[in-house]
Amino acid sequence: MTYRTIFKAAFLGFALATAVSLTPEIGNAQTLKVVKSSTSASLNVPMNRAVVVESETPFAELSIANPAIADISSLSDRSIYVLGKAPGTTTLTLLDATGSLITNVDVVVAADLTEFKERLRQILPGEKIEVRSANDGIVLSGTVSSAQRLQRALDLAERYAPERVSNLMNVGGVQQVMLKVRFAEMQRSVRKSLSSSLALNGTSSGTTLNGGTGTTNTLTGSTNSLSGRIPSVNENVGAMLFGFGVGSVEVGLLIEALENKGVVRTLAEPNLVALSGQEAKFLAGGEYPVPIAQEDGAITVEFKPFGVELDFIPRVVDGDLVNLELKAAVSALDPTNGFRTDAFTIDAFRRRETSTTVELRDGQSFAIAGLLQDEFIDSNGQIPWLGDIPVLGALFRSAEYQRQQSELVVIISAHLVTPTRGEALALPTDRIRPPSEADLFLFGNVARDSSKTKLKGGAGEVARQDFNGSYGYVME
């Protein structure tokens, strides 16, 4: 063995040792013949991985334009070790022994898509996502089943190419949500009162008697003024006055017994459709003008909305799972609690509202709010000592009992919906036709009989389905 052969073997061993020290992944390097004499070529190198390039022409000198993107090392006069360090593009130049240019190689370092694709298949199996490299970033395209899985794919891509991920993916499936909100409120009130009053009017043994207890005390006048009369100061419908005379003295006994019961039912069902991730608003009611005083003394008018309000943002999370950010309210004018001045009157508002975020599946419902309020008031008034007399003490006492109960429930339902043909939708007015002059003046009909005419549009579509009983919208 000559010294020259020994020298070449030692040089090759030193080069191999240097290459191994540059990266622990030298074992994964692949030999690629991509360089041809006197031509330019392109070399794709995954980041943090290495490739070995063989030149068809022996070279004497190597240079890399940007060592921060790729690192090189010569293994022989025909083999080059290239290590990708950072995403980007740089130029590898090969020169021969005379300093002449052999070729320029464009070295493109990109994220390791092989590992990224494998992780993507493990985390999101079954999703049709295409992965490509562009310049120094990653481009994702295809169709995913939900917005949540789309975000997972983007988060994973950010691990391999931070701030260099392009999203060209689409979300498949139904992405429109119809929200149905039902407000149901019942108010019950009971009031009972029982009181009695005694009055005397006249003379006895030269002594004038004029007085009494309760509301009849204010009734004085001529003879028999108490008999058969109900005091004008009394507003109760359950009042009765008994009067009788003992000589020249008239005695009046007023008994007031009243029981009031009341029930109030409030129901509202607003429906609204919105695209996933988009805000939708609904208001059925009006706006009430409220004057507001400014610092300079001027008065401006601000309009306050009232009625049925609905504001929500739906997000289709995964499949048929819907995330709802919801705000709903029902309000009405309340003149009994308003503000009054000499110039104007401002009514108050009765308002019931809720604001929450929930998750539910297609067709499911939630009772998101409930209120049970029970108020009880009773009072008992009497004349001292006289009201404590057994039996007769009832003439000098009055008792009142009042109870109010209110119950409010708010229920929401979410449905994934798709568009349909316009003629398949029925309107409340489809089956209500204006009457003809003969129907109105001769027969007194305020609407034309739709059974004698062929229904068109949504009402006709529903009628052809041969339902029994009521269907569609009902107007009473």
Side-chain angles (χ1 to χ4, degrees), residues 92-355:
L92 171 63
T93 303
L94 283 70
L95 303 176
D96 59 12
T98 63
S100 299
L101 176 65
I102 298 176
T103 187
N104 287 323
V105 180
D106 293 331
V107 180
V108 180
V109 180
D112 187 4
L113 300 184
T114 303
E115 180 183 358
F116 172 63
K117 291 179 181 179
E118 182 63 25
R119 296 293 180 267
L120 200 60
R121 283 193 295 267
Q122 294 174 356
I123 297 176
L124 301 174
E127 297 294 339
K128 299 179 180 179
I129 302 177
E130 298 180 1
V131 182
R132 297 181 178 89
S133 62
N135 197 1
D136 59 346
I138 297 177
V139 178
L140 300 179
S141 60
T143 302
V144 292
S145 58
S146 66
Q148 185 182 35
R149 298 199 171 197
L150 183 145
Q151 187 60 44
R152 289 178 182 175
L154 293 177
D155 293 341
L156 182 61
E158 285 290 334
R159 294 285 186 177
Y160 290 85
E163 299 182 358
R164 296 186 305 276
V165 179
S166 299
N167 177 25
L168 301 181
M169 294 181 291
N170 297 320
V171 179
V174 180
Q175 295 296 310
Q176 296 183 113
V177 181
M178 183 184 74
L179 189 66
K180 180 179 181 180
V181 181
R182 288 178 288 173
F183 297 86
E185 182 178 18
M186 290 292 296
Q187 296 180 359
R188 297 175 292 270
S189 62
V190 177
R191 179 182 178 185
K192 298 179 181 180
S193 62
L194 177 64
S195 63
S196 60
S197 303
L198 180 66
L200 299 175
N201 185 23
T203 59
S204 177
S205 303
T207 302
T208 301
L209 299 176
N210 188 1
T213 64
T215 57
T216 60
N217 187 29
T218 59
L219 293 179
T220 60
S222 59
T223 304
N224 296 327
S225 61
L226 296 174
S227 178
R229 291 184 54 191
I230 294 200
S232 59
V233 297
N234 178 71
E235 297 179 355
N236 291 338
V237 296
M240 183 175 293
L241 178 64
F242 298 94
F244 60 91
V246 180
S248 59
V249 178
E250 292 183 346
V251 179
L253 178 62
L254 176 65
I255 298 177
E256 297 175 280
L258 179 65
E259 180 178 9
N260 287 334
K261 295 182 180 180
V263 176
V264 178
R265 174 178 179 263
T266 302
L267 179 64
E269 294 189 11
N271 297 341
L272 194 59
V273 178
L275 188 65
S276 176
Q278 301 298 317
E279 183 180 13
K281 295 183 179 181
F282 177 91
L283 173 62
E287 292 187 340
Y288 184 76
V290 178
I292 298 177
Q294 304 297 325
E295 295 181 355
D296 56 358
I299 296 179
T300 60
V301 177
E302 181 178 349
F303 288 87
K304 300 289 186 179
F306 69 92
V308 180
E309 302 176 59
L310 179 60
D311 185 359
F312 79 104
I313 302 177
R315 297 180 179 89
V316 181
V317 180
D318 191 5
D320 61 347
L321 183 63
V322 182
N323 177 281
L324 288 176
E325 185 178 343
L326 170 71
K327 182 178 181 181
V330 174
S331 58
L333 297 178
D334 186 9
T336 59
N337 295 321
F339 174 76
R340 294 175 176 83
T341 63
D342 296 336
F344 50 81
T345 300
I346 303 177
D347 293 333
F349 287 86
R350 289 188 297 109
R351 185 176 179 88
R352 286 83 69 203
E353 68 175 283
T354 178
S355 177

Side-chain angles (χ1 to χ4, degrees), residues 43-57:
L43 176 64
N44 295 320
V45 182
M47 187 173 61
N48 296 326
R49 291 186 179 273
V51 296
V52 174
V53 182
E54 292 186 357
S55 174
E56 296 180 349
T57 303

Side-chain angles (χ1 to χ4, degrees), residues 27-43:
N28 297 328
Q30 297 180 359
T31 302
L32 301 176
K33 295 183 179 181
V34 297
V35 180
K36 296 183 180 179
S37 178
S38 301
T39 61
S40 297
S42 177
L43 176 64

